[in-house]
Amino acid sequence: MPFYREADVFAFLEQHGCEFEGDRYPHGSGWFAPDDMPFTLPDAEDGWLDADVVDLILADRWIWTGPPRIQRYMTPSEE
Protein backbone atom coordinates (compact mmCIF):
# COMPACT_ATOMS: atom_id res chain seq x y z
CA MET A 1 0.00 0.00 0.00
CA PRO A 2 1.47 3.40 -0.93
CA PHE A 3 1.67 6.28 1.54
CA TYR A 4 1.88 10.07 1.47
CA ARG A 5 3.54 12.20 4.12
CA GLU A 6 0.86 14.27 5.84
CA ALA A 7 2.88 17.50 5.41
CA ASP A 8 3.12 16.90 1.64
CA VAL A 9 -0.64 16.41 1.37
CA PHE A 10 -1.39 19.56 3.38
CA ALA A 11 1.02 21.60 1.20
CA PHE A 12 -0.55 20.19 -1.98
CA LEU A 13 -4.06 21.05 -0.81
CA GLU A 14 -3.09 24.60 0.11
CA GLN A 15 -1.40 25.06 -3.29
CA HIS A 16 -4.65 24.01 -4.96
CA GLY A 17 -6.85 26.48 -3.10
CA CYS A 18 -8.12 24.30 -0.27
CA GLU A 19 -8.49 25.74 3.21
CA PHE A 20 -7.72 23.89 6.42
CA GLU A 21 -10.69 24.06 8.75
CA GLY A 22 -9.14 22.18 11.64
CA ASP A 23 -9.68 18.88 13.37
CA ARG A 24 -13.46 19.18 13.50
CA TYR A 25 -14.19 15.48 13.20
CA PRO A 26 -13.33 12.60 15.53
CA HIS A 27 -11.17 10.74 13.01
CA GLY A 28 -9.85 13.31 10.58
CA SER A 29 -9.00 16.86 9.65
CA GLY A 30 -11.60 19.15 8.12
CA TRP A 31 -10.93 20.99 4.86
CA PHE A 32 -12.80 23.11 2.35
CA ALA A 33 -12.31 22.55 -1.38
CA PRO A 34 -11.99 25.65 -3.61
CA ASP A 35 -15.77 25.52 -4.20
CA ASP A 36 -16.34 25.61 -0.40
CA MET A 37 -17.41 21.95 -0.32
CA PRO A 38 -16.24 20.43 2.98
CA PHE A 39 -14.28 17.21 3.07
CA THR A 40 -12.34 15.25 5.65
CA LEU A 41 -8.95 13.62 5.44
CA PRO A 42 -8.36 10.65 7.72
CA ASP A 43 -6.04 11.04 10.67
CA ALA A 44 -2.43 10.35 9.83
CA GLU A 45 -0.62 7.53 11.55
CA ASP A 46 2.77 8.82 12.69
CA GLY A 47 2.64 11.49 9.96
CA TRP A 48 1.63 9.14 7.11
CA LEU A 49 -1.61 8.84 5.12
CA ASP A 50 -2.86 6.01 2.89
CA ALA A 51 -2.19 7.40 -0.61
CA ASP A 52 -5.06 5.49 -2.26
CA VAL A 53 -7.60 6.89 0.22
CA VAL A 54 -6.30 10.44 -0.26
CA ASP A 55 -6.44 10.07 -4.05
CA LEU A 56 -10.09 8.96 -3.86
CA ILE A 57 -11.00 11.91 -1.66
CA LEU A 58 -9.24 14.41 -3.95
CA ALA A 59 -10.89 12.96 -7.05
CA ASP A 60 -14.31 12.99 -5.35
CA ARG A 61 -13.94 16.70 -4.58
CA TRP A 62 -12.50 17.51 -8.04
CA ILE A 63 -9.35 18.87 -6.45
CA TRP A 64 -7.11 16.61 -8.49
CA THR A 65 -8.22 13.89 -10.88
CA GLY A 66 -4.99 13.24 -12.76
CA PRO A 67 -2.03 11.08 -11.84
CA PRO A 68 -0.72 11.57 -8.29
CA ARG A 69 1.35 14.74 -7.93
CA ILE A 70 2.48 14.04 -4.39
CA GLN A 71 5.55 11.90 -3.71
CA ARG A 72 4.42 8.33 -2.93
CA TYR A 73 6.30 6.03 -0.60
CA MET A 74 5.88 2.27 -0.44
CA THR A 75 6.49 2.11 3.30
CA PRO A 76 5.92 4.81 5.93
CA SER A 77 9.59 4.78 6.92
CA GLU A 78 10.94 5.26 3.37
CA GLU A 79 12.20 8.78 2.61
Side-chain angles (χ1 to χ4, degrees), residues 5-77:
R5 289 186 332 177
E6 181 181 39
D8 293 344
V9 173
F10 280 26
F12 178 86
L13 292 173
E14 290 171 352
Q15 289 171 355
H16 286 84
C18 297
E19 293 183 34
F20 182 65
E21 179 60 27
D23 295 327
R24 299 185 304 154
Y25 304 103
H27 300 290
S29 58
W31 287 82
F32 285 107
D35 63 358
D36 292 327
M37 177 69 96
F39 66 97
T40 304
L41 289 179
D43 282 333
E45 292 185 30
D46 295 321
W48 295 91
L49 294 164
D50 181 325
D52 293 331
V53 171
V54 172
D55 289 344
L56 287 172
I57 293 168
L58 297 184
D60 184 52
R61 294 292 177 241
W62 290 92
I63 296 162
W64 187 259
T65 58
R69 302 295 289 252
I70 306 168
Q71 174 66 45
R72 286 177 163 235
Y73 300 90
M74 294 314 295
T75 63
S77 61

